[in-house]
Amino acid sequence: MTLSNRDKKHLWHPLTQHKTSPDTLAIVKAKGAKLWDENGKEYIDGISSWYTAMYGHCNPYITHKVAAQMQQLDQVVFSGFTHEPAIQLSEELIKILPANQEKLFFSDNGSTATEIGIKMALQYHFNLGNDKRVMLAFEEGFHGDTFGAMSVSGLSVYNGAFEHHFLKVVRIPTPNGKNNTEVLQKLKQLIKENAIAGFIYEPLVQGAAGMKMHDVDGLNAVLKVCQKNGIITVADEVMTGFGKTGKNFASEYMDEQPDIMCMSKALTAGLLPMAITSCSQKIYDAFYSEDIAKGLFHGHTYTANPLACTAALAGIELLNSGEIQQNIQKVIQSHSEFLKEIKVHPKVRNPRQLGVILAFELNVEMERYGNLRNKLFQHFMGDGVFLRPLGNTIYILPPYVISQEELRKVYNSICAALDIF
Ligand SMILES: *Cc1c(COP(=O)(O)O)cnc(C)c1O
C-alpha cells in the first residue's frame, strides 16, 4: 500500500475538507530547495514549506549542530531552569532585532506567539490599572488559529463556528498610499469610541491574505497615532521575519519600532517548531512586581526546547553570513527581472515584490479552495514546482539557497500557467 493510501485511515489534515479533497501527496525526502514524493518525482519548493526552510531543507550546518546538541541536553523545564542554547539564542537574536526589543518569551508556533503578544498587550494595561480591553487589527490580517489569534484575524468564513467566542476587536483597512487619510480618520474615530489596548499587524506584507503589500508611510502614520494614544503595537513577523523582505525584519523599514514582536516559521529554519514573542523594556517593566499575579502566567511544556534553540541559533548564523546575504540579493534581482517580463501580460494583475516575496493576481475568477484553483495547483505540481496559489493569487517565496536554474523552472511554469488559464 502506498503512503497516500495508508494516510487515509487515521490522519486528519489541516485546512482540509476531506470529503472533497484529492489524495494527500507523500513526501519521502527533502534537500536544499527540493522535495521528493514516494514515486520518485521531484518538486522545487517554491514556498519554502510555508516560509520556514529558508536556508534549504536538511541544511547540513543546521542538522549537525542539532545532532550534537541532542547528545548533550534534549529537554528541560524552562520554568526555574535555563540552558546555554536559550541564552546564546537570546544574545544573538537581540543583536538583529530592532533596537528597542529587550526581552524574549518562548512558545511553540506562530499562533501562540501572537496569542502571547495579545496577552502581553492586554495584561500590560490591566497591570497598570487601565480599563482597555479592545484589540485593533487590519481587516484582512492573519495571525493564527488559536482563539485570540483567530479573533484578531480578518473575519474568515472558515471561523464561523467560533465567532461568538471572540475577543472584542475593531478593524481598519490597510493603507495603500491612496487611502492613508481615510485610514487615519477611521483609526481616530475608533480610538474615540473604544478603549483600545493593542494593535496587531503584519508589517508591510499580509501573508495569508494573499501576499498583499501595503504602504510604508501609511503604516508609519498608523503606528504613530497608536503610540501617541497608548496603544501597544504588536508586529506579527511570523511570516516576514528573518530576511524575506530584504531586511532581517519588515519592521526595519519603519520609523516606529513595535512594542512587541512575534516570530516563528523561519526562526528555526524549518527544522523544529518554536516561536518567540519579544518585547521592549517598557512592556516587561509592567509585569515586574512584588505582586505574583502581575507576572505573565503563560507557559508551554516545550518552552525554549534546547534542540529548537540550537536550530534557531544556527539559522541566525547562516542569515548573518555573507553567502546567504548574497543569495538573498540574487533572488531579489531575479524576481525583479521576472516581474518586468510578466507585468505587461494581460492576465497579470497587481504584480508586486518585497525582498524574495513575489506575487500577482491571475486575472481569472477563482475561489480560494475552488476547482479552478486546484487545477492551477495541479499544473504547477505536474511541472515539478510546488506553489500553493491562494485563490487566484500566485506567489513565490523560495528558499534563499535556490539555484538560478531552479528559479527559472518556477518562472517557466508560471509563464505556462499564464497561457493555459
Ligand atoms: C503562519 C502565520 C501565523 C500562525 O503560525 P502557525 O505556526 O501556523 O500557528 C501567524 N501569523 C502569521 C503572519 C503567519 O504567517
Side-chain angles (χ1 to χ4, degrees):
M1 249 213 299
T2 62
L3 292 173
S4 287
N5 276 323
R6 280 164 58 203
D7 169 275
K8 282 186 210 153
K9 192 154 183 214
H10 298 297
L11 295 178
W12 190 345
H13 289 266
L15 310 175
T16 302
Q17 171 51 269
H18 278 284
K19 183 152 191 191
T20 58
S21 289
D23 284 359
T24 49
L25 182 67
I27 299 297
V28 295
K29 192 176 121 173
K31 187 77 190 164
K34 287 207 184 97
L35 304 168
W36 283 266
D37 74 15
E38 66 177 320
N39 304 313
K41 184 168 166 68
E42 85 183 36
Y43 306 87
I44 297 166
D45 186 351
I47 64 163
S48 310
S49 288
W50 267 341
Y51 341 132
T52 58
M54 300 311 295
Y55 316 103
H57 287 278
C58 296
N59 183 303
Y61 185 75
I62 304 174
T63 52
H64 283 142
K65 292 238 162 177
V66 172
Q69 180 59 41
M70 220 176 254
Q71 310 296 319
Q72 179 70 29
L73 173 67
D74 51 356
Q75 163 67 7
V76 70
V77 169
F78 204 63
S79 184
F81 294 91
T82 193
H83 48 74
E84 175 75 30
I87 295 166
Q88 216 183 328
L89 173 57
S90 70
E91 291 161 354
E92 295 307 314
L93 183 56
I94 288 289
K95 281 185 202 155
I96 63 168
L97 285 176
N100 70 334
Q101 299 297 297
E102 285 293 337
K103 299 286 179 181
L104 310 180
F105 193 98
F106 286 89
S107 64
D108 306 334
N109 58 69
S111 305
T112 55
T114 58
E115 200 81 20
I116 290 162
I118 295 164
K119 284 174 81 171
M120 280 180 180
L122 294 173
Q123 195 182 339
Y124 168 86
H125 289 293
F126 181 85
N127 282 359
L128 295 183
N130 304 332
D131 189 17
K132 293 188 169 185
R133 303 181 203 174
V134 178
M135 289 297 295
L136 171 71
F138 280 138
E139 274 163 9
E140 295 185 282
F142 176 74
H143 302 288
D145 287 337
T146 52
F147 270 88
M150 273 195 293
S151 305
V152 290
S153 295
L155 292 179
S156 152
V157 291
Y158 308 109
N159 287 341
F162 314 111
E163 278 170 21
H164 293 299
H165 308 279
F166 284 177
L167 299 174
K168 176 131 204 265
V169 179
V170 292
R171 295 169 213 279
I172 50 173
T174 46
N176 58 22
K178 287 180 209 133
N179 68 351
N180 290 11
T181 319
E182 289 107 272
V183 172
L184 282 188
Q185 267 165 0
K186 170 130 202 230
L187 172 60
K188 287 175 184 165
Q189 190 61 32
L190 287 172
I191 290 173
K192 264 191 217 145
E193 293 164 357
N194 300 275
I196 300 177
F199 170 48
I200 185 163
Y201 60 101
E202 293 162 274
L204 301 183
V205 190
Q206 296 183 297
M211 295 298 157
K212 294 215 165 117
M213 299 183 187
H214 54 263
D215 183 53
V216 179
D217 295 335
L219 181 57
N220 263 327
V222 167
L223 293 177
K224 267 205 188 85
V225 171
C226 285
Q227 282 164 357
K228 230 172 95 190
N229 287 276
I231 296 171
I232 300 301
T233 52
V234 184
D236 177 355
E237 296 240 17
V238 170
M239 194 282 288
T240 48
F242 302 95
K244 291 170 200 133
T245 63
K247 293 188 189 279
N248 286 339
F249 296 94
S251 291
E252 288 174 42
Y253 285 97
M254 315 305 302
D255 300 334
E256 310 299 322
Q257 297 179 334
D259 299 303
I260 295 171
M261 281 175 72
C262 311
M263 291 154 259
S264 188
K265 292 200 166 124
L267 166 66
T268 43
L271 205 75
L272 289 161
M274 189 172 76
I276 290 178
T277 308
S278 67
C279 69
S280 65
Q281 192 67 38
K282 170 179 106 174
I283 302 296
Y284 183 76
D285 286 346
F287 292 73
Y288 193 76
S289 162
E290 296 287 330
D291 181 357
I292 290 177
K294 288 205 164 151
L296 182 57
F297 276 77
H298 184 116
H300 298 286
T301 309
Y302 277 99
T303 294
N305 171 261
L307 307 181
C309 288
T310 303
L313 253 173
I316 292 171
E317 270 179 71
L318 291 177
L319 179 64
N320 289 337
S321 71
E323 193 185 334
I324 289 292
Q325 286 301 321
Q326 275 169 17
N327 286 336
I328 291 175
Q329 289 313 316
K330 270 192 227 155
V331 174
I332 291 176
Q333 184 63 32
S334 307
H335 273 2
S336 56
E337 282 160 24
F338 177 59
L339 264 193
K340 265 186 229 145
E341 195 182 313
I342 59 163
K343 79 176 177 205
V344 289
H345 196 288
K347 284 210 196 113
V348 173
R349 226 172 50 203
N350 194 15
R352 54 199 182 271
Q353 180 193 358
L354 185 64
V356 304
I357 308 168
L358 178 151
F360 66 91
E361 270 74 57
L362 194 60
N363 208 354
V364 177
E365 275 301 315
M366 273 185 206
E367 282 178 42
R368 195 170 176 107
Y369 295 104
N371 271 338
L372 201 52
R373 180 268 171 205
N374 292 342
K375 281 207 184 111
L376 181 60
F377 173 76
Q378 288 308 339
H379 157 80
F380 292 131
M381 293 300 277
D383 280 354
V385 171
F386 172 37
L387 293 179
R388 209 168 178 279
L390 294 158
N392 65 346
T393 302
I394 295 177
Y395 73 94
I396 322 175
L397 204 168
Y400 305 139
V401 297
I402 193 167
S403 70
Q404 286 299 310
E405 200 189 343
E406 289 164 334
L407 210 43
R408 194 65 244 174
K409 207 172 154 192
V410 176
Y411 296 155
N412 287 345
S413 184
I414 290 177
C415 289
L418 289 177
D419 295 330
I420 297 167
F421 287 86

